[in-house]
Amino acid sequence: MTSTSPNNSRLNDQLPLSTNMQAVQEKLQLFRVLYVESNERRVESFRQAFGSQIDVTDVPDGQSALAQLEHGEPVDLVLFNDDLDSLLFLKELGAKRKLAHVPVVLLTDRTNIDLRQAPFHGHVIDAFPHNYSEEALRIRLKYLIQKKDYEQSGRINPKSASIRIPIGKRLFDIFVSLFILIMISPILLVVAILVKLDSKGPVFYSSKRVGTGFKIFNMYKFRTMSTGADKLLAGMASQNMYNAPVVEKTDDERCEVCKIAGTSCQQPLFMDQKQICEILYQREQKAKAMFSKFKEDPRVTRLGKILRNTSIDELPQFYNILRGDMSFVGNRPLPIYEAEKLTTIGYARRFAAPAGLTGLWQVTKRGKAKVSDQERIQLDVLYAKTYSFRTDMLILLKTLKAVWQKENV
């Protein structure tokens, strides 16, 4: 068994005693991952990718993992190779009451695994393939790290369990979505044919979205954009409706405090072998738009504009609702690159609500070109705090009135 922890980028011997003590306290609160893996190459690859963010301890099998959990330092997450008899490990983990709270992420190539069934339910919070996307796993880990920090700050209840959709809401979703899918099946067939005739490419478009409790799933729509549209996104950043006003940079890369004091940078960061001011860097990150949306999006096909304006492109999401990935009403499930920007204290609260086909933001701000990303976040957080069956019914009624949008957004 081996263990590594992140290195501090600043020189400890140049820091005052109080700063060193603070660094020790921070180390004690590191996010600890127990990686159950017998393949040393996989372990080393994981360390290289994530070792700077978390404290990694690796063990070769389930029995060693149980011993480490019982007698070693507290662990925030278990990353388990499904090939090492995960079923036995999870059964024994469930039998130990004091370890029942430890979340598990499975690395598995099984595609038919149902995390809602025993012994996975209550322990396994997510599953990734062995050849996982580093970006997707990094986002998941970042959310869990921020969640831990948020709990330690005392602003949420540490006893909160895994996020579940209320049973009444879930039953409503199942019966209504199934009924609607049966009724609109002829419409789905006609639209599928039109999409195929309108432009080259598949009929349906699926994208990785982040939903309830930051669970990543495939969300389905009728394709409304030309093939390869995602690759054009970076080049369209200047057209984003959520962009903040651009602030011109000066040659002096110091913040106002250091300029007034006439000193060199007192809060340096080192990125890409270059020193930058931490205050200025955080200011730039905050100014970046957290969402992406474009008016008169050139990537949209001719038929796609009609499908979007009538929301017909979202009809396949009734299948997501039937599966339990989404609900009829909730916060919109975000693409991973957008969700990453919201995994910070105060913003992560929006992921405590169910992911939804429509929601509070859609019926109050959708179609208004001047809506800010801060307004959208506030509405999402508000819904997460106050949602109820009555609220959902009111939002559904308002959604029916808002289907035909006034602006092409």
Side-chain angles (χ1 to χ4, degrees), residues 339-354:
E340 179 187 19
K341 301 174 185 178
L342 298 180
T343 53
T344 56
I345 294 175
Y347 293 165
R349 180 65 181 267
R350 79 173 301 282
F351 296 105

Side-chain angles (χ1 to χ4, degrees), residues 252 254-266:
D252 191 347
R254 294 179 299 167
C255 64
E256 294 80 0
V257 177
C258 294
K259 289 179 182 178
I260 294 174
T263 62
S264 60
C265 182
Q266 299 300 298

